[in-house]
């Protein structure tokens, strides 16, 4: 079934399991980062990202830079805002606090709009906030990896354009790109930032962004230079444009092996209609969520409409804690993640269901995981 | 000889050719970044870096962060200096200009001490500069990838400690770590920054630093927070210490596959005495430089004492340009790099001789490259 050494199924909300061909691409022989073969590979990967984000507007600009997903926050804060600007950060869990901290590092004033755990800020409250102050950017976590809460982008975008049309809409899609639909043009988004190791299905090490023409124009009109060097679009914009035009150029050395793996994973994703991929993730997610409910367990994401397809965050029953449950799941060949939301980390676990574990019909990862969870909880004394 | 698909030998000054086992480690199956197996691998890699840098002082601190080598400059500028501080940048080519640009991004005032192309700043001039102003940091490019010029670290360190003992000594070792000796403790260095894809022999995508206890203390005494988020040691220091203590923790997701490859390459490097590795690089470099001289060609690095073992930058004869020479070398199975120093880029080529191409006795990369260069120049009408 797989050429990989036997190993437990990694079902955390990223990194996910990777396809054999993607992992083999990681072993590609060494190439010059400015030689024609690699320039072609990188350029094609950038163009394929346009398809993944469903953008045909030539003004949209993809960026692929070596780094963790977190580097995407620095890119937003250093390039899309200037010191003294205001940012409205919608809070659905752990990652909004960190994104806010990143903005403050770059001298941006942050207002957080917090929802109760398991919920998302409501449109009425967002509208009120947008009317109170002029925000340069509004950020939303599409799927919050700490809670499994899904945010609704189209309605949010419509609201922003109606109430504060110049505010740039930034979507943190680290845990959504590749498994939740994103229509970059149609939803009029200004930036989606993501990482390689989740539903895109490529090992960690790439910060991936799609940026709108409006955001690039705003960037070009900055009064001060970007206050990051490695994360500066002033340095990277010509490089990305050159790679996509198949012209060699240099700012900092990219990772040819990771870019090859990204090329392979994007080729696989785009070989089938995207709608099919999103529907399949939704279908498997529904199955997981039904199994969780059948086990008598509750999710952090409290309402069906705010539950992500990417993952499920599950409250443990009987006051069990992750260290009492996760090791027995590991013995059964399944790796789940512990809690991450600071206030309740000891009370829940996270089950990621993205990528090949969902899309490869030969894999039984998800059914095995549901079975392991049931048995593991029973061994810990829980009866559904 | 190698399990890799047939390909031209990559003999640019990085990325270099990689060993089969290192490339196979890039295909490691997916692991949790906070699971015990990967935490152990990462922790061991950090500890092995201490050996590579020849530091036994427990106050020394290694950092391994996803990113290009360039991210190391941001880490230095954002963590070791504060806005308004002064930096003295020794200039031996392209990279000093860029490092200076990085410092200015972070609000640091830069003084550059420039040497003629192919030479390095002289100790007398450095002493004079250090006496004129109080510098928070002095930076030196150990091997300048644009010129092949080697800087002498021990004498420079002795000078700094004598004239301006509080100035932090920063060595850009991107093109030196792993093939030129660095005695971190004995030479009393405060920071060496490097990248994975040169003489360390691991694919690109990791920014690697060794930082002294003195620099960490200075960092902890900062008046303002680091002005980078992704590059902040405030965020990364506890993570690196936890990984090395084999304790899971999270700031941003590292790249397990790249860290596995780093672990493999460091294990290979440390399986033999380091002195032997440095001597072998010097021996092969001497052979290359003799062959260049025998061909009647001149190096950019004008004096034997400032010529690096890592690479050789070679002036082309007969007013030939890199585009007239490099394609015929590629046809012969060898990839060299064009010029990079802005003022003379069209006049020279660069030959990297690091890592497995040097250390693997079964590889004939270097002899093949010398032969190809001779034949290629002859075909272009040059007679030695």
């Amino acid at each position: 079934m797989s050429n990989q050494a036997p190993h437990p199924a990694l079902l955390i909300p990223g990194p996910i399991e990777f396809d054999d061909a993607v992992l083999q691409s990681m072993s590609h022989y060494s190439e010059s980062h400015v030689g024609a073969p690699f320039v072609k590979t990188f350029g094609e990967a950038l163009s394929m990202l346009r398809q993944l984000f469903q953008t045909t507007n030539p003004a949209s600009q993809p960026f692929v830079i070596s780094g963790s997903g977190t580097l995407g926050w620095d890119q937003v804060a250093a390039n899309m805002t200037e010191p003294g600007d205001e940012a409205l950060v919608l809070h659905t869990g752990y990652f909004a606090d960190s994104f806010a901290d990143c903005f403050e590092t770059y001298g941006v004033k942050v207002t957080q709009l917090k929802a109760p755990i398991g919920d998302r800020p409501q449109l009425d409250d967002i509208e009120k906030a947008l009317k109170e102050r002029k925000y340069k950017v509004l950020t939303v976590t599409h799927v919050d990896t700490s809670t499994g809460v899904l945010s609704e982008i189209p309605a949010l975008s419509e609201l922003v354009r109606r109430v504060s049309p110049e505010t740039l809409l930034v979507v943190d899609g680290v845990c959504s790109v590749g498994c939740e639909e994103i229509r970059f043009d149609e939803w009029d988004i200004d930036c989606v930032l993501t990482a390689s190791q989740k539903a895109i299905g490529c090992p960690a090490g790439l910060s991936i962004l799609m940026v709108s023409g409006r955001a690039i124009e705003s960037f070009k009109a900055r009064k001060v230079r970007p206050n990051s060097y490695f994360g500066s679009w002033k340095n990277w914009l010509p490089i990305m444009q050159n790679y996509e035009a198949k012209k060699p150029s240099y700012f900092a050395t990219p990772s040819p092996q990771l870019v090859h793996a990204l090329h392979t994973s994007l080729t696989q994703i785009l070989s089938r209609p995207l709608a099919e991929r999103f529907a399949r993730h939704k279908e498997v997610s529904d199955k997981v969520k039904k199994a969780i409910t059948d086990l008598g367990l509750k999710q952090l994401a409290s309402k069906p409409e705010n539950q992500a397809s990417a993952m499920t965050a599950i409250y443990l029953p009987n006051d069990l804690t992750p260290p009492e449950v996760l090791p027995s799941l590991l013995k059964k060949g399944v790796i789940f993640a512990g809690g991450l939301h600071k206030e309740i980390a000891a009370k829940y676990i996270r089950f990621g269901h993205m990528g090949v574990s969902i899309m490869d019909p030969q894999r039984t990862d998800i059914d095995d995981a549901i079975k392991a969870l049931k048995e593991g909880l029973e061994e810990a004394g829980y009866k559904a």
Side-chain angles (χ1 to χ4, degrees), chain A:
Chain A
M1 249 177 60
S2 161
N3 295 322
Q4 300 168 41
H7 64 278
L10 188 61
L11 298 171
I12 66 177
I16 66 168
E17 285 287 309
F18 301 122
D19 182 77
D20 286 358
V22 171
L23 286 178
Q24 281 153 21
S25 298
M26 291 289 286
S27 296
H28 196 284
Y29 59 77
S30 197
E31 286 180 313
S32 167
H33 51 301
V34 292
F38 175 68
V39 170
K40 179 170 180 287
T41 301
F42 200 165
E44 288 174 357
L46 290 166
S47 298
M48 283 193 281
L49 285 174
R50 295 179 187 272
Q51 292 176 254
L52 180 66
F53 286 90
Q54 305 189 52
T55 174
T56 56
N57 186 338
S60 301
Q61 181 59 51
F63 290 87
V64 174
I65 303 179
S66 281
S68 305
T70 300
L71 177 63
W73 293 342
D74 285 70
Q75 288 187 63
V76 168
N79 295 289
M80 293 180 69
T81 56
E82 301 188 46
D85 279 347
E86 303 264 356
L88 180 62
V89 172
L90 305 189
H91 185 289
T92 47
Y94 180 91
F95 292 95
D97 288 325
S98 304
F99 203 167
D101 194 17
C102 178
F103 275 121
E104 285 164 358
T105 300
Y106 288 90
V108 175
K109 294 176 199 159
V110 176
T111 302
Q112 286 207 50
L113 205 55
K114 296 204 181 193
I117 292 173
D119 208 344
R120 60 194 185 201
Q122 300 301 302
L123 291 174
D124 287 354
D125 296 327
I126 301 168
E127 177 161 355
K128 191 159 160 267
L130 283 173
K131 285 175 172 168
E132 276 170 6
R133 202 168 295 171
K134 187 168 174 56
Y135 290 103
K136 182 68 190 288
V137 295
L138 178 150
T139 77
V140 57
T141 312
H142 194 188
V143 171
D144 196 299
T145 315
S146 72
T147 59
V149 167
L150 175 74
S151 290
E152 200 193 10
I153 309 301
L156 180 62
S157 173
E158 189 276 328
L159 170 66
V160 171
R161 294 302 162 232
R162 180 166 54 79
V163 177
S164 181
E166 286 177 16
T167 297
L168 299 172
L169 175 58
V170 175
V171 176
D172 180 339
V174 168
C175 196
S176 75
V177 174
C179 66
E180 312 276 358
E181 175 144 61
I182 295 181
R183 300 185 184 205
F184 191 81
D185 290 352
E186 192 180 323
W187 297 354
D188 204 6
I189 303 169
D190 291 302
C191 174
V192 178
L193 62 99
T194 189
S196 45
Q197 77 274 8
K198 303 205 182 188
I200 290 177
C202 167
L206 296 176
S207 164
I208 297 170
L209 282 83
M210 186 63 71
V211 180
S212 73
R214 185 196 291 123
I216 294 289
E217 287 311 309
S218 164
F219 167 72
K220 287 180 176 169
R222 287 177 68 88
K223 289 185 286 289
V224 299
R225 68 191 292 183
N227 42 355
S228 166
Y229 184 74
F230 181 59
S232 165
W233 293 348
K234 184 161 164 283
N235 293 325
W236 282 116
L237 184 59
I239 305 298
M240 293 296 136
Q241 292 176 339
N242 283 337
Y243 270 114
E244 210 172 351
K246 314 288 161 70
K247 289 189 286 193
S249 61
Y250 171 73
F251 163 60
T253 307
S255 181
Q257 281 71 17
L258 277 169
V259 171
H260 269 283
L262 176 66
H263 189 281
T264 301
S265 67
L266 290 174
T267 303
Q268 290 178 342
I269 289 172
L270 296 170
S271 68
R272 305 283 310 162
L274 282 173
E276 192 180 286
R277 182 177 179 88
F278 301 135
R280 176 70 185 149
H281 276 83
K282 178 77 168 63
E283 179 192 343
V284 171
S285 174
D286 286 347
K287 180 169 132 180
V288 168
K289 288 168 172 66
K290 180 174 183 306
I292 298 302
T293 304
D294 290 350
L295 279 170
L297 304 176
K298 289 204 183 320
Q299 296 177 51
L300 266 69
S302 49
K303 304 165 188 167
E305 67 271 21
N306 68 12
Q307 292 169 352
S309 294
M311 60 173 288
T312 308
I314 308 161
Y315 280 114
L316 289 170
N318 294 7
D319 292 327
L320 286 167
T321 63
E324 293 170 315
V325 173
L326 297 182
S328 80
L329 297 188
L330 176 58
K331 278 188 201 144
K332 297 173 199 301
V334 173
I335 300 178
F336 281 1
L340 187 58
H341 194 295
K342 285 166 192 165
E343 294 170 38
I344 52 164
K347 297 188 175 180
Y348 74 105
I349 56 175
R350 295 173 298 144
F351 177 178
H353 27 79
M354 293 175 256
V356 288
S357 292
I358 309 306
M359 300 303 296
D360 181 346
Q362 295 198 287
R363 285 192 182 241
T364 58
D365 297 349
I366 302 303
D367 289 338
D368 295 349
I370 292 170
K371 185 161 171 283
L373 177 63
K374 183 170 185 290
E375 291 173 2
L377 289 176
E378 281 171 5
E379 286 165 25
Y382 174 72
K383 278 280 180 205

